[in-house]
Amino acid sequence: CDTTTKRNSWSCFWIETAPSIRKMFVASIAVIIEHMTNGCILPVSFLLTGNPTYYNLALYGEVAFMIYATTLLLTSYALQRDVSIEQMHPAVWHLLILHHVASMMLCIGCIMFGDVVPKQLVCYVLLALLGLTSSLHYIGMILDIGPLSLANSPYIRVGHHVICLLLQIIFRGVYWLRLTALVFLHTLEVHSLWVLVAVMVPMLLFTAFNVDFIKFHVKATRGCFRQMQQYNQFKQT
């Protein structure tokens, strides 16, 4: 297969890639589209215009996607065959289900309480978790699978790793602590103790996810730098 041009590189990649890897590639694209829609385009549209339609579409869209994704994961367990959207290893299916349920709890709570919930704060949470971090994570998975992987385009891959890690630290680390504190104070002031517990349990679950996410990207970025150094040493010999 001729890989002398970028177009041919992508064509050859698709022809020579195993069906299971193709499924992961398509799955990543599907998740990116959902994350960018419900986690970036719609929240930003609301923040810029104040039109509640964008806010409601983001929340209902996220709930619908989480219900669909969770149903497919449970079906995968029942069939002992991966029919999920994410196409990830069965070892992480239970974590994905936990993540999806926590997402649904937060979004459904925001829908149920309506105008009592600060809409701007909700949009910032969606941006922090979906639009500005998770989307980049899945883009990285596409890069790893395709012609822009570390072996083929080391500087592009390292650059993406660095940008992704910085955004993870900023939005899932520093900014997330501020968001969690704001959510806690608002819920404590406006709602009952039971509502506070119902809100903070998924928030704390997402905090644990965020810590694990940041640790993963720190490890991945270090490994990417080491591989790029080995690649440069190989070129010089």
Side-chain angles (χ1 to χ4, degrees), residues 20 23-24 27-28 31 35 73 76 81-96 100 134 137-138 141 213:
S20 59
K23 288 181 181 180
M24 291 176 61
S28 297
V31 174
H35 280 11
L73 282 165
S76 297
R81 179 168 58 89
D82 190 0
V83 296
S84 67
I85 293 176
E86 295 88 354
Q87 291 294 305
M88 291 188 179
H89 193 277
V92 300
W93 285 356
H94 66 290
L95 294 176
L96 289 173
H100 297 347
S134 191
H137 172 78
Y138 278 95
M141 292 177 66
F213 225 51

Side-chain angles (χ1 to χ4, degrees), residues 4-193:
T4 55
T5 66
K6 288 185 178 180
R7 182 177 178 181
N8 286 342
S9 294
W10 283 99
S11 299
C12 292
F13 142 74
W14 194 252
I15 292 170
E16 297 172 354
T17 300
S20 59
I21 303 300
R22 290 186 188 181
K23 288 181 181 180
M24 291 176 61
F25 188 89
V26 175
S28 297
I29 293 176
V31 174
I32 289 169
I33 292 172
E34 186 276 331
H35 280 11
M36 289 301 297
T37 302
N38 295 327
C40 186
I41 296 172
L42 293 173
V44 168
S45 297
F46 170 78
L47 292 172
L48 292 176
T49 65
N51 187 340
T53 301
Y54 296 121
Y55 171 84
N56 290 326
L57 283 172
L59 289 181
Y60 280 102
E62 182 65 14
V63 171
F65 185 79
M66 290 297 100
I67 290 174
Y68 181 58
T70 303
T71 301
L72 291 181
L73 282 165
L74 293 174
T75 304
S76 297
Y77 270 120
L79 298 177
Q80 293 296 302
R81 179 168 58 89
D82 190 0
V83 296
S84 67
I85 293 176
E86 295 88 354
Q87 291 294 305
M88 291 188 179
H89 193 277
V92 300
W93 285 356
H94 66 290
L95 294 176
L96 289 173
I97 292 173
L98 187 62
H99 170 275
H100 297 347
V101 170
S103 295
M104 283 188 281
M105 287 175 62
L106 288 177
C107 291
I108 292 172
C110 292
I111 293 169
M112 288 177 59
F113 288 109
D115 292 335
V116 179
V117 177
K119 292 182 173 60
Q120 286 189 342
L121 181 59
V122 173
C123 288
Y124 292 142
V125 172
L126 289 172
L127 281 168
L129 291 179
L130 297 179
L132 300 175
T133 55
S134 191
S135 297
L136 276 178
H137 172 78
Y138 278 95
I139 289 173
M141 292 177 66
I142 289 176
L143 294 178
D144 283 336
I145 295 170
L148 296 179
S149 64
L150 182 63
N152 298 317
S153 303
Y155 292 105
I156 291 177
R157 194 65 189 94
V158 169
H160 175 271
H161 264 300
V162 171
I163 293 171
C164 193
L165 175 60
L166 289 175
L167 289 178
Q168 304 295 335
I169 293 172
I170 292 170
F171 289 104
R172 287 182 177 257
V174 179
Y175 191 58
W176 179 254
L177 293 176
R178 181 174 182 272
L179 288 175
T180 304
L182 289 172
V183 169
F184 174 81
L185 293 173
H186 172 79
T187 310
L188 182 64
E189 180 181 353
V190 177
H191 300 287
S192 66
L193 178 61

Side-chain angles (χ1 to χ4, degrees), residues 195-208:
V195 174
L196 177 65
V197 172
V199 170
M200 293 311 298
V201 166
M203 290 294 289
L204 291 175
L205 282 175
F206 275 115
T207 302

